[in-house]
Amino acid sequence: MPKKAPENKKNVYRVQGFTCANCASKFEKNVKDLPGVADAKVNFGASKIAVYGETTSQELERAGAFENLKVSAENSRGHDPKGEEPDKEEIPFYKKHSTLLYSSLFLALGFISMLVNGNENMVTALLFITSMIVGGLSLFRTGLQNLIRFEFDMRTLMTIAVIGGVIIGEWAEVAIVVILFAISEALERFSMDRARKSISSLMDIAPKEALVKRNGEEMTIHVNDISIGDVMIVKPGQKIAMDGVIVNGYSAINQAAITGESVPVEKTVDDEVFAGTLNDEGLLEVEITKLVEDTTISKIVHLVEEAQAERAPSQAFVDKFAKYYTPIIMIIAALVATVPPLIFDGSWETWIYQGLAVLVVGCPCALVISTPISIVSAIGNAAKKGVLIKGGVYLEEIGRLKAIAFDKTGTLTKGVPVVTDYQALNNQTEEQKLFSIITALEYRSQHPLASAIIKKAEHENISYAGIEVDDFSSITGKGIKGTINGIRYYIGNPKLFKELPNSNFDKEVEQQVVVLQKQGKTVMVVGTEKEILAVIAVADEVREVSKDVIQKLHQAGIKQTVMLTGDNHSTANAIGSHVGVTDVQSELLPQDKLDVIKQLRSKYDNVAMVGDGVNDAPALAAATVGIAMGGAGTDTALETADVALMGDDLRKLPFTVKLSRKTLNIIKANIAFAIAIKLLALVLVIPGWLTLWIAILSDMGATLLVALNGLRLMQVEEDE
């Protein structure tokens, strides 16, 4: 009977020592077989394993003894007194690969002995055998265990090939094969470690200690010992160690580590700051709002590591392909070794050798690493640029997008109303005085557009606080009114002044109002009972980058860009026309937005929805890929969206599409190349040209090229 997983019993461990994806799969299988374990899932990209059930680190290490794996609980990371991680120690190359160096030395001595004593000499044979044993001990140990259990992976294939080579007396060639295989594994390990470091380096940017004020004293303490409510002091030029809110001070903060945007952002009292960002100028006092494991940078690293565990479609294909690939290679090798001698009277020694070479060339190293190294490199690069992609599946889906829908407010626009037009109609010299009267009235209003007028007055230093307003009242659905210095003023929509019997709301004023409304602006008229004094237009300001972003997306081959909004048709069409979207859907309720996404999916299959991660949750969920704006300050966006643009910056969207498409192309190229090189080597069997060293060299070369090709994704830039 299958074991039942205990509810909510999940423990995550970090694993050191993975040399290849196949070894990670074997470790996962071994852990699943442990007593008390219901299920296990290895995250090869992040070097972690999630275990469902009861076990210990010691039992896990026994399950990984074939690879000498070291296992530690995830929450032990960085909790030593010095704040350093034990696995951060750099081991010198000669120590890490000492067996490979010794093996190479014995191989060189073997060739010298061959020149001096001849190929059949006992000393020569012993030197080559010593080279094989030193360089391939772990390989043989695992391979023999696999043979006993009838488990067939690349190490099993290599072990059979080496044993066969020794039996037929190919000492030198087998020793070369063992060394080349060890080099191939070292290259694979180095490539994955380098890709992983692009993620872990994110965590290193946050300081491990902070200067904290407690009980009137300043003390430097480790971030693990900082509590919520503590006040942290950050000096100019220092990095911020924890998330918090400024309680004293003013500065410019470089938030590139979180948002990918290198231009410093001005911060003052009550503004939020993030761990890992750089305080450029002033002295700040910051009240801590999150524990170290809950900081934004910690969440980003955790989510990026989790993203690597989500198998992309291409990776799922490779995993499935590799499952059947190894047994097929073994059957082909057996046929190559036996059919020619049995049927065509070929030489047994020649064709057994060719069969062994087929086993060696069949090692699927390059194929297995082709996808994960590309996914890890791309997701790590995106995170450094301020784009959080929640899994390989979403990374690939973005590359296939044909349509993108945008929420208007806060996405294509800034989401904050501003005064765009103000024109006094009668006495031009009284413009500022009239605006102070308008602001004094709006200050008493609860209307959302009042904030735009107040903001303009404060920006232009127009005083209004001292103006006394009598008989203030709101006119439902139309505007406001109030008396100042004995004169009754009205501010409201054009309909209000059309209803006032003595106002001079003539065709000229109406024409001016219509022109502004066609530009997508909300128009307010100011006047008394007898005359119109001014016209004010307020609009949700379009982001400067929106037009350029839409244009770049069209150039990238996105067929349909749609703006979704609850605004009226004229406002929506004006903004849509300005930014250049191909379609505008206006006066929509949340349910209507969801319906639009469903229609787009039925037409284009792959559709993205870009919103704020909160208000448009149904539409974001219904899209193939949900993309949230402003993830840095929004926990909801980080948790719910498939992709979060951390810096609230739309310019990251074309970069993400480009990175995704490049990733897709590299993955396809890697898979095609890895399979093609195997087929090419197998073709050499027909004329009998395939040798053991050519076989392993082709595998090593393919692994190296595939790894280097995948690592190129770490270098993709926004402005390419």
Side-chain angles (χ1 to χ4, degrees), residues 81-365:
K82 293 180 182 178
E84 297 168 355
E85 295 175 33
D87 60 346
K88 287 282 179 180
E89 269 184 51
E90 277 297 321
I91 302 170
F93 179 86
Y94 70 90
K95 283 187 178 179
K96 195 184 288 186
H97 300 289
S98 57
T99 54
L100 182 57
L101 294 173
Y102 290 134
S103 178
S104 301
L105 177 63
F106 282 113
L107 179 68
L109 292 173
F111 277 111
I112 293 169
S113 177
M114 185 191 291
L115 290 171
V116 175
N117 303 315
N119 194 28
E120 304 298 325
N121 184 269
M122 181 61 72
V123 174
T124 303
L126 283 173
L127 285 168
F128 284 135
I129 290 170
T130 305
S131 174
M132 274 184 268
I133 292 171
V134 171
L137 189 61
S138 65
L139 162 69
F140 303 144
R141 187 167 56 231
T142 307
L144 289 169
Q145 286 174 353
N146 289 352
L147 269 175
I148 294 166
R149 297 171 186 163
F150 290 97
E151 294 174 359
F152 299 103
D153 63 10
M154 65 180 76
R155 293 192 168 201
T156 316
L157 300 184
M158 283 296 302
T159 302
I160 295 170
V162 167
I163 292 169
V166 169
I167 290 169
I168 62 175
E170 296 289 345
W171 311 105
E173 205 161 346
V174 170
I176 292 171
V177 164
V178 169
I179 287 176
L180 289 176
F181 183 76
I183 292 171
S184 177
E185 282 202 326
L187 288 171
E188 185 177 343
R189 187 175 186 172
F190 170 78
S191 302
M192 281 305 298
D193 284 346
R194 186 173 173 193
R196 288 185 190 115
K197 279 178 183 175
S198 71
I199 311 295
S200 59
S201 62
L202 285 170
M203 199 66 211
D204 296 337
I205 62 176
K208 295 289 189 290
E209 293 182 328
L211 183 64
V212 172
K213 188 191 291 183
R214 280 183 183 171
N215 303 320
E217 291 184 19
E218 294 181 6
M219 58 187 78
T220 301
I221 60 175
H222 193 275
V223 289
N224 294 325
D225 301 322
I226 295 176
S227 305
I228 292 172
D230 277 341
V231 174
M232 173 177 64
I233 297 169
V234 188
K235 296 175 182 177
Q238 286 186 339
K239 281 187 176 178
I240 297 169
M242 302 282 282
D243 283 14
V245 173
I246 297 173
V247 291
N248 189 21
Y250 167 86
S251 185
I253 307 291
N254 186 327
Q255 300 189 141
I258 300 289
T259 66
E261 183 56 60
S262 57
V263 178
V265 179
E266 292 184 0
K267 300 271 187 175
T268 186
V269 175
D270 293 334
D271 284 340
E272 194 174 8
V273 294
F274 306 109
T277 57
L278 179 66
N279 178 23
D280 278 351
E281 296 173 1
L283 182 74
L284 296 176
E285 291 187 10
V286 178
E287 184 178 330
I288 306 302
T289 55
K290 293 178 182 176
L291 297 173
V292 65
E293 62 267 22
D294 297 323
T295 61
T296 301
I297 192 73
S298 296
K299 282 188 177 180
I300 291 170
V301 173
H302 176 73
L303 290 169
V304 168
E305 288 183 336
E306 291 301 305
Q308 295 167 8
E310 297 296 323
R311 282 178 168 80
S314 56
Q315 191 167 348
F317 159 75
V318 168
D319 292 345
K320 195 171 183 180
F321 183 84
K323 185 179 178 182
Y324 300 104
Y325 172 83
T326 305
I328 290 170
I329 285 292
M330 294 195 71
I331 292 167
I332 292 172
L335 291 173
V336 167
T338 57
V339 170
L342 289 173
I343 298 176
F344 304 106
D345 200 28
S347 164
W348 278 101
E349 186 176 342
T350 300
W351 288 103
I352 286 174
Y353 178 87
Q354 290 291 300
L356 295 175
V358 168
L359 284 180
V360 174
V361 84
C363 289
C365 303

Side-chain angles (χ1 to χ4, degrees), residues 374-567:
S374 302
I375 296 291
V376 171
S377 298
I379 288 177
N381 184 14
K384 286 189 170 183
K385 300 285 194 305
V387 181
L388 179 59
I389 301 172
K390 300 284 281 293
V393 61
Y394 306 117
L395 181 67
E396 289 196 14
E397 292 290 3
I398 292 167
R400 298 189 180 99
L401 289 176
K402 296 186 181 111
I404 301 179
F406 297 85
D407 175 46
K408 178 186 77 73
T409 307
T411 301
L412 292 175
T413 65
K414 294 180 179 177
V416 180
V418 292
V419 175
T420 56
D421 301 85
Y422 168 57
Q423 187 173 357
L425 300 178
N426 295 328
N427 189 348
Q428 297 294 322
T429 59
E430 296 297 317
E431 267 192 14
Q432 189 165 328
K433 183 180 177 183
L434 178 58
F435 199 83
S436 66
I437 291 171
I438 294 166
T439 310
L441 289 162
E442 289 290 356
Y443 182 71
R444 289 157 176 80
S445 168
Q446 298 297 315
H447 197 279
L449 299 181
S451 62
I453 291 171
I454 294 166
K455 193 183 296 178
K456 179 178 171 66
E458 289 174 349
H459 183 260
E460 297 182 6
N461 294 319
I462 298 173
S463 61
Y464 61 89
I467 297 176
E468 199 172 314
V469 179
D470 299 317
D471 301 326
F472 177 85
S473 64
S474 175
I475 307 166
T476 306
K478 295 176 184 176
I480 57 173
K481 63 180 179 179
T483 303
I484 297 174
N485 296 329
I487 301 171
R488 176 162 289 185
Y489 293 93
Y490 293 84
I491 305 174
N493 56 37
K495 186 179 177 183
L496 171 64
F497 287 89
K498 287 178 183 178
E499 292 175 358
L500 291 175
N502 299 319
S503 74
N504 60 337
F505 193 87
D506 53 23
K507 286 185 178 180
E508 188 178 334
V509 175
E510 187 165 14
Q511 180 62 32
Q512 193 172 349
V513 168
V514 169
V515 168
L516 291 169
Q517 285 177 334
K518 282 183 177 177
Q519 294 171 6
K521 300 169 183 176
T522 300
V523 181
M524 294 182 286
V525 180
V526 182
T528 64
E529 292 174 336
K530 295 181 179 179
E531 63 177 340
I532 305 296
L533 299 175
V535 173
I536 300 176
V538 176
D540 180 4
E541 200 173 11
V542 176
R543 291 179 189 268
E544 295 86 351
V545 301
S546 293
K547 187 174 183 178
D548 185 46
V549 166
I550 298 296
Q551 188 179 356
K552 283 183 178 177
L553 290 172
H554 288 157
Q555 289 170 353
I558 300 295
K559 294 179 181 177
Q560 187 85 340
T561 51
V562 185
M563 187 181 82
L564 310 180
T565 179
D567 273 356

Side-chain angles (χ1 to χ4, degrees), residues 9-18 21-34 37-66 69-77 196 302 305-306 308-309 311:
K9 193 61 179 177
K10 174 187 174 184
N11 293 299
V12 180
Y13 300 86
R14 295 192 174 271
V15 185
Q16 282 181 264
F18 281 142
N22 265 349
C23 307
S25 298
K26 183 178 179 183
F27 177 56
E28 180 178 282
K29 184 179 181 301
N30 289 352
V31 173
K32 285 179 180 178
D33 292 336
L34 289 174
V37 174
D39 197 12
K41 187 178 181 183
V42 163
N43 180 342
F44 179 56
S47 279
K48 296 198 296 187
I49 184 168
V51 180
Y52 300 85
E54 294 287 348
T55 190
T56 64
S57 297
Q58 290 74 20
E59 287 177 325
L60 292 174
E61 286 188 354
R62 278 196 288 275
F66 69 95
L69 299 178
K70 301 297 177 189
V71 179
S72 60
E74 183 184 34
N75 57 13
S76 69
R77 177 184 169 100
R196 288 185 190 115
H302 176 73
E305 288 183 336
E306 291 301 305
Q308 295 167 8
R311 282 178 168 80

Side-chain angles (χ1 to χ4, degrees), residues 621-636:
T624 316
V625 182
I627 302 172
M629 293 284 289
T634 316
D635 286 343
T636 309

